[in-house]
Amino acid sequence: ITVAENEFELPERSELFIELYPEDEPDLRPYAGYYLADHDNQTIFWAAPVKTDDLGALRVNPGTFADQHLKLQLSHQYWSHVECYPLDKNIDIKEAHENLLEQLSFMYIDVATSVTSTSTWSESECQSFISILSHCPQRRKTWTIARLTALMAQWQFQNLYGHPSARLDRTYSYEVEVNDPTPDADDKAEAEGDNTSNKSGTTATSRPSNHRWKKFKTRIEVYWQIFVAFMLRVTCMLLFDAPAAHNTALEKVWVDKIVHRVRFQDLINKTAKDWSDVSLLSTVLWTANMAFLAIPYPILDPQQQHPLTRVQTATRIAMITASLASTVFSVGSIAISLLHIRKHRTERTAEESCRFLETQHHQVYGHRPLAVLWSLPFAFLMWSVLTFSAAVMLFCVTAGGVLTEVMTLALSALIVWWICLSVWYFWRREVNWTLADGRRSFRMIFTDWLWEMKLGAEKFGKSFS
């Protein structure tokens, strides 16, 4: 009926797919869903205009669409149709096989020569697909080609193939926030109140109070965001800036809310190995603290009868406190490492990985809270090392004579100097404060956690205007 009403001319080789709605949906029962598959152009179409939202493209900014780009989504839908109904007569298997091999070969070379490839498959997976296509039985080749081609078209659509600014680097973000031009209910009510008051010449007494409450609420929200951002920054400093590396890695595997399963799994495997190593070192420190606390004091004369001086008592208390603090940090590092390893031990699919990163992402602070949690095992290990070193230093100073104290302090100062020099040397070269194109590097973004608060501050200023 729709084809006849619109005087639509159907292609020569086309198929009609009709979906009858179930009986438990009475609102849709009189109607049926449909689409038409064009086998000559390898696309699907409808006899009536269709919005881009109906194509499954909700995650892509509508402002980034191009005609060739949208054709990829239609091509993905078509090959998904062929995958469900793999009839050999519908497609040219030889031509489709050659095109798929070309794309897989290109993807294989791209992954092998680029660490930021947009490919969703690894080298071994591309090689396996090429081998499978060469040895696949003829009666099964249609479904195999359709499945891989559909996934390829979806991958190309997500990376804006066919667009003038296609994504050639998986770390390049193309997503742009689009402001909703439709006003909310409060703005509508306020506008209607303004119109009413202008027409009648009167002003409602409730409008000033509502406006003041709205400004006060906006002020509280902005101040709260700034406070939380400041506390996150202080926490990052206390954790030796370890969340910086985790946040960088998380942002690189979740560009424009697109997750590459292979890249994300590599990140999880590397991070889990770091947690395992940290847990092992924390266990060693835990054992060392237990042995350290068993040493009698004073070490030179454990059987002496005269009481300790105030300095000796304070030193002993500080030494035991530092060792116990090191033990607590070691236990905390081990416990959190085991929890993280158990949480991320199983492999996730691309959908599960995307769902995990989306649930852990904050609209203001991004993945910084998750990065803080991931960095706790390493940070607790570092605090355990520092407190244990302080306990050993106090023991060396009080256990020997003057010569021992001088040599221990001199050696400790030298070691601290070399540690600080090493940290400064590698920190300065791994972190570029200003990039060549003028953009801020990750170090600056991670340090300035109030960067994303500027939008809130602008709204805050507008609300008081």
Side-chain angles (χ1 to χ4, degrees), residues 299-330:
I299 187 65
L300 297 180
D301 188 11
Q303 303 298 330
Q304 65 180 5
Q305 301 297 327
H306 58 83
L308 300 176
T309 62
R310 291 185 177 180
V311 176
Q312 291 177 336
T313 302
T315 304
R316 177 176 174 80
I317 293 175
M319 182 176 59
I320 295 177
T321 303
S323 182
L324 291 176
S326 178
T327 304
V328 172
F329 281 124
S330 298

Side-chain angles (χ1 to χ4, degrees), residues 309-383:
T309 62
R310 291 185 177 180
V311 176
Q312 291 177 336
T313 302
T315 304
R316 177 176 174 80
I317 293 175
M319 182 176 59
I320 295 177
T321 303
S323 182
L324 291 176
S326 178
T327 304
V328 172
F329 281 124
S330 298
V331 174
S333 178
I334 295 172
I336 298 178
S337 297
L338 295 178
L339 289 175
H340 285 328
I341 294 174
R342 182 176 179 82
K343 172 69 176 179
H344 303 285
R345 178 177 298 173
T346 58
E347 293 188 3
R348 294 184 174 92
T349 62
E351 291 78 11
E352 293 174 347
S353 302
C354 185
R355 193 180 306 112
F356 169 76
L357 292 177
E358 189 170 5
T359 54
Q360 300 298 326
H361 185 269
H362 193 272
Q363 60 180 356
V364 177
Y365 311 112
H367 286 111
R368 292 178 177 88
L370 179 61
V372 169
L373 294 178
W374 279 15
S375 63
L376 287 180
F378 170 78
F380 284 175
L381 174 63
M382 293 299 298
W383 279 111

Side-chain angles (χ1 to χ4, degrees), residues 404-423:
T404 304
E405 295 179 4
V406 173
M407 294 181 60
T408 302
L409 292 176
L411 183 60
S412 300
L414 181 62
I415 293 176
V416 170
W417 162 255
W418 282 109
I419 291 175
C420 295
L421 183 62
S422 301
V423 171

Side-chain angles (χ1 to χ4, degrees), residues 235-236 239-248 368 371-372 375 442 446 449:
T235 303
C236 183
L239 299 180
F240 303 93
D241 238 5
H246 292 294
N247 190 67
T248 300
R368 292 178 177 88
V372 169
S375 63
F442 174 76
F446 202 78
W449 277 8

